[in-house]
Amino acid sequence: MSSAASLNPQQREAIRYLDGPLLVLAGAGSGKTRVITQKIAYLVQDCGFSPGNIAAITFTNKAAKEMRERVAKLLPGTPAEDFHISTFHSLGVRILREEAKALGYKPRFSIFDAADCAGIIGDLAKSIDKSALRRLQAIISNWKNALVSPEAARQQADSEHEKLAAQVYLSYAATLKAYQAVDFDDLIRLPVELFEAHPEITEKWQNRLRYLLVDEYQDTNACQYRLLKQLTGVRAQFTAVGDDDQAIYGWRGADIENLKKLPDEFPLLKVIKLEQNYRSTVRILKAANNVIAHNEKLFDKKLWSELGYGDPITVSACKDNEAEAIHIAMKLQAHKFEHRGKFSDYAILYRSNHQARALETQLREQHVPYLLSGGQSFFDKAEIKDITAYLRLLVNDEDDPAFIRAATTPKRGIGTSTLQALGTYAGERHLPLFAALFEQGFAQRVQPRQLEALLEFGHFINRIQSRAGREPASQVLADLLKAIDYERHLYDQEENRVAESRWANVLELVEWLNKKGEEENKTLIELAQTIALINLLDKNEGSYDAVQLSTLHAAKGLEFRHVFLTGIEEGILPHRESVDTGKVEEERRLMYVGITRAQLSLHLSYCERRKQARDFFPCQPSRFIAEMGKEDLRFSGGQHATEPDKATGSSRLEALKAMLAKGKPAEEHDY
């Protein structure tokens, strides 16, 4: 266990405080994960808590995994699974699986992902316009997170779009229930409804989870806040760790009001501030403090550091977006060359995903390896999910989401009403959808043509399944694709160029599976089982020396030795929409998050004009640059350029470029 002596006084106080509800205001880089993990160890070792009576709740699987690993080191000999360290959604799943009966669900209900749900919403809205579907999905998601029922949504819908969303929401909720399925928002909403309707179940869970620790508290939405209140009950034995300056998820329903109202709702609440930063230099923190000071403060705090003053922050004005990408790629390599660093020491952060394209092009051209965070994984592409739905069904014909996706893609005359009838029947009989379709009882509930389409599909899956366990994978897979005529389906759905690229992805999957099948002598059934365990980035994470490209939202919680913040312009950061709707404060918090990712050096850039489609539009540097304070910034390019000196002049950069062009030292090629 790392010695308690190395904790600062505020961290130590936060760990030991157990006299009532506690809010730990943890500034960026102030050691909040350490406080949570050490507090879990303190509760077990010094206070006699059983590991099973403590729950730590995070927002990402990655954070939960890191927390579990740290706790395992602090408490060797205690099995990791004894602790309830998980995301809100995982906790919701645990509660629902155990209490499914009280809500009228079978314990093996299905969980639909966003793509499955978009398919249902598209059918109900009779629309295939992707952006319209995304809007509908977002409206319904926000209603669920705000605990607004379909009936209430119909009453409060204002615009035409909201009225359509309310109509779809009602049918969507009924469809999910008929399928014995839930979506991600239900994983929090349904436990809240359960606890409200069944006080005896609430009491059972309050007694089981006697102490709660909540990470990233500023990111909770109304639903999560209600769940926490229900679980903590009158005892209010909890530690909430958060930072109002890093609340950047308002657009997806997170409500900073939850932080604001804590002192009112819990009069005995103690507040402890963690202001010592263990990540960044003084200069970087000073700029971050200067920017965030322009926001109205919930709780006043100021980060400080003992890590030295550090290098000046550079701000580069670039002619346009292409010039900006070239500048960043060159400057990053020159900086790495000079400091003998690794590519993985660097991150390039931006406001929106579309900004990554020009950067990717330049990094590829200059042979700089990179990882794209928040980009779409190969296995998340719709066409890959379509094919893997069939494979999942071959492995496990009780996989209801796979059944629904495979049965309806490509279309084969199995519509929503048929599936709803099947879902209702399967729910009554506590059967998977696949098993239910063959039952005589179900045959009496639907029209002969509806039954015929389902039976044809069921027999087809049975035939493929019996072959998939014994014949060569390549042959079975080729026959499967031919039988469902997936290539034609793509060309019917999309314009030729898109269909071609999506079919190429399917062929890549097929080639990969065939190769794996031959090399490892595996059947299609065995290969399909491994697909479920694959995460393409896992191969790279941690061991791959590459520059990290990421949106600012996806970079929250991470840190890098050197950070490039790109596109720091009015209209991008702050985003034009936030300026129009008066939500600049959240954008400022996003800038603050970006600045505080950097440990040793920070480099900002903006364009004087930006190309959109074929036209150029003039740009203004973001107001946030001026808010950082000029004394620690060094400007280059454009009208604000600082007088060049030997340390920062462009001549030095040119010399480094020349060195790079002549050839790099041997170790530079080891990526």
Side-chain angles (χ1 to χ4, degrees):
M1 177 169 174
S2 57
S3 107
S6 62
L7 295 161
N8 67 39
Q10 291 76 21
Q11 289 173 329
R12 201 173 298 119
E13 185 186 10
I15 287 163
R16 293 187 177 168
Y17 184 81
L18 289 175
D19 293 344
L22 170 66
L23 172 61
V24 179
L25 282 171
S30 64
K32 70 182 175 70
T33 307
R34 190 168 182 212
V35 165
I36 294 171
T37 51
Q38 295 260 11
K39 186 153 193 167
I40 293 170
Y42 176 70
L43 288 166
V44 173
Q45 287 179 326
D46 298 60
C47 309
F49 274 79
S50 149
N53 291 143
I54 302 165
I57 306 170
T58 69
F59 271 79
T60 64
N61 289 316
K62 193 175 174 185
K65 183 172 174 251
E66 183 193 344
M67 224 173 259
R68 277 194 294 272
E69 285 166 359
R70 289 211 208 176
V71 170
K73 282 184 189 149
L74 294 173
L75 294 168
T78 309
E81 56 272 17
D82 285 8
F83 293 97
H84 301 305
I85 300 174
S86 70
T87 62
F88 268 103
H89 293 96
S90 300
L91 177 64
V93 172
R94 266 192 53 223
I95 294 168
L96 290 177
R97 290 268 184 241
E98 196 170 314
E99 313 295 349
K101 201 173 164 197
L103 282 164
Y105 285 84
K106 57 184 184 187
R108 294 190 62 176
F109 60 81
S110 302
I111 301 166
F112 282 10
D113 66 16
D116 296 323
C117 298
I120 297 170
I121 289 171
D123 282 346
L124 295 169
K126 297 185 174 38
S127 165
I128 52 164
D129 178 343
K130 291 203 173 71
S131 65
L133 284 183
R134 272 199 300 272
R135 253 180 93 187
L136 283 176
Q137 234 174 326
I139 293 171
I140 292 170
S141 175
N142 284 340
W143 276 332
K144 285 192 170 193
N145 288 326
L147 294 167
V148 176
S149 68
E151 291 75 20
R154 279 175 87 164
Q155 286 168 4
Q156 66 182 51
D158 288 335
S159 65
E160 282 309 306
H161 212 80
E162 279 195 356
K163 282 175 185 161
L164 172 63
Q167 199 180 322
V168 170
Y169 181 15
L170 192 64
S171 311
Y172 172 64
T175 304
L176 283 183
K177 190 73 195 267
Y179 291 169
Q180 284 281 303
V182 299
D183 63 17
F184 261 48
D185 299 320
D186 290 332
L187 296 177
I188 318 286
R189 185 184 65 85
L190 287 172
V192 168
E193 286 183 9
L194 172 84
F195 289 151
E196 273 178 10
H198 300 275
E200 72 290 353
I201 295 178
T202 314
E203 200 178 327
K204 174 177 124 183
W205 282 90
Q206 285 174 350
N207 289 330
R208 186 180 298 179
L209 306 178
R210 301 186 77 82
Y211 200 92
L212 256 66
L213 301 106
V214 187
D215 191 14
E216 303 286 12
Y217 183 79
Q218 76 283 350
D219 293 336
T220 53
N221 60 37
C223 213
Q224 289 157 338
Y225 180 74
R226 182 84 64 90
L227 182 64
L228 291 172
K229 279 200 79 175
Q230 289 169 328
L231 284 171
T232 54
V234 286
R235 277 202 303 268
Q237 284 282 72
F238 68 83
T239 294
V241 181
D243 181 4
D244 49 320
D245 292 334
Q246 293 187 72
I248 57 172
Y249 289 113
W251 54 277
R252 69 170 189 208
D255 191 353
I256 199 166
E257 285 296 317
N258 293 343
L259 203 53
K260 224 181 247 183
K261 63 190 179 194
L262 265 187
D264 298 330
E265 298 213 354
F266 297 95
L268 298 175
L269 182 80
K270 182 173 178 68
V271 179
I272 295 173
K273 297 176 190 176
L274 303 184
E275 295 170 294
Q276 182 172 359
N277 171 287
Y278 294 93
R279 176 186 297 159
S280 309
T281 62
V282 170
R283 253 191 177 123
I284 290 167
L285 288 185
K286 202 168 134 196
N289 284 333
N290 285 348
V291 168
I292 209 66
H294 288 78
N295 270 7
E296 200 182 316
K297 304 292 276 182
L298 280 188
F299 303 92
D300 214 32
K301 68 175 186 322
K302 207 158 198 176
L303 295 180
W304 58 277
S305 160
E306 292 178 339
L307 298 176
Y309 208 65
D311 295 340
I313 296 163
T314 70
V315 182
S316 307
C318 303
K319 191 176 73 184
D320 54 37
N321 14 349
E322 192 185 348
E324 183 183 38
I326 294 169
H327 168 80
I328 289 170
M330 289 296 240
K331 185 166 180 173
L332 187 151
Q333 289 179 92
H335 192 280
K336 174 183 175 289
F337 184 90
E338 185 187 359
H339 292 84
R340 289 288 182 271
K342 302 197 295 281
F343 282 116
S344 55
D345 292 339
Y346 294 82
I348 305 173
L349 309 180
Y350 36 82
R351 174 67 178 81
S352 301
N353 272 311
H354 69 83
Q355 292 170 260
R357 282 183 214 131
L359 292 161
E360 284 191 82
T361 304
Q362 282 309 318
L363 294 174
R364 274 200 302 269
E365 276 187 18
Q366 299 189 34
H367 307 293
V368 175
Y370 66 88
L371 284 173
L372 191 64
S373 166
Q376 195 184 38
S377 145
F378 181 69
F379 281 88
D380 280 338
K381 293 179 187 293
E383 59 275 20
I384 302 303
K385 291 180 88 159
D386 286 344
I387 304 307
T388 53
Y390 282 89
L391 301 181
R392 281 163 51 194
L393 199 53
L394 297 180
V395 172
N396 171 19
D397 56 27
E398 295 189 5
D399 185 336
D400 286 348
F403 173 87
I404 290 166
R405 189 166 192 134
T408 55
T409 314
K411 294 265 186 271
R412 50 167 59 80
I414 300 172
T416 310
S417 59
T418 309
L419 285 171
Q420 272 190 338
L422 180 62
T424 305
Y425 177 80
E428 289 165 12
R429 302 268 293 117
H430 298 291
L431 289 171
L433 296 173
F434 189 77
L437 80 87
F438 295 105
E439 293 222 335
Q440 194 53 43
F442 172 65
Q444 291 158 10
R445 294 200 183 185
V446 284
Q447 301 294 326
R449 60 180 177 75
Q450 291 177 292
L451 183 64
E452 192 186 332
L454 272 173
L455 284 172
E456 196 181 309
F457 174 69
H459 292 314
F460 166 66
I461 293 296
N462 280 334
R463 285 196 304 277
I464 293 280
Q465 197 175 35
S466 68
R467 292 179 56 197
R470 47 192 167 79
E471 294 179 26
S474 55
Q475 188 56 55
V476 183
L477 197 49
D479 290 350
L480 169 65
L481 285 173
K482 194 174 169 190
I484 65 174
D485 206 356
Y486 191 75
E487 184 178 8
R488 198 179 87 184
H489 160 73
L490 286 178
Y491 279 92
D492 287 347
Q493 292 286 311
E494 307 279 3
E495 57 183 68
N496 282 2
R497 194 175 46 82
V498 177
E500 204 175 299
S501 127
R502 291 181 65 186
W503 180 240
N505 288 333
V506 172
L507 294 179
E508 191 183 323
L509 172 74
V510 170
E511 190 187 336
W512 177 76
L513 283 169
N514 290 345
K515 193 173 165 207
K516 207 171 166 60
E518 279 168 36
E519 285 172 0
E520 300 174 19
N521 194 24
K522 282 185 170 170
T523 65
L524 190 56
I525 292 281
E526 290 166 328
L527 288 174
Q529 285 167 332
T530 64
I531 283 182
L533 306 172
I534 286 169
N535 182 335
L536 285 186
L537 262 182
D538 277 356
K539 292 184 295 190
N540 300 327
E541 238 176 308
S543 59
Y544 192 55
D545 184 24
V547 175
Q548 183 72 57
L549 262 61
S550 171
T551 62
L552 287 162
H553 283 100
K556 185 159 165 280
L558 305 178
E559 55 185 43
F560 305 92
R561 292 171 76 81
H562 310 289
V563 169
F564 286 80
L565 294 182
T566 168
I568 310 302
E569 296 148 32
E570 287 294 310
I572 291 183
L573 187 69
H575 197 273
R576 186 173 296 107
E577 218 171 279
S578 71
V579 176
D580 295 344
T581 54
K583 291 181 179 165
V584 172
E585 292 213 341
E586 182 154 322
E587 295 290 296
R588 189 173 282 113
R589 293 194 287 268
L590 201 50
M591 179 72 175
Y592 175 83
V593 164
I595 296 170
T596 54
R597 297 314 92 202
Q599 295 172 308
L600 299 175
S601 77
L602 180 62
H603 311 274
L604 278 62
S605 60
Y606 65 89
C607 298
E608 294 181 316
R609 59 179 198 161
R610 188 167 282 276
K611 192 175 187 181
Q612 286 172 10
R614 290 180 180 175
D615 300 318
F616 283 98
F617 295 91
C619 303
Q620 291 299 317
S622 168
R623 66 193 73 185
F624 302 146
I625 294 175
E627 289 175 5
M628 289 167 80
K630 281 199 169 165
E631 62 274 20
D632 293 304
L633 307 185
R634 296 292 175 271
F635 294 84
S636 65
Q639 57 194 22
H640 302 290
T642 312
E643 278 303 306
D645 56 32
K646 278 188 180 156
T648 59
S650 57
S651 57
R652 189 155 159 269
L653 188 59
E654 291 305 323
L656 284 164
K657 278 186 204 169
M659 263 197 291
L660 285 167
K662 280 179 192 166
K664 300 173 184 177
E667 75 264 25
E668 298 293 293
H669 291 295
D670 288 347
Y671 60 84

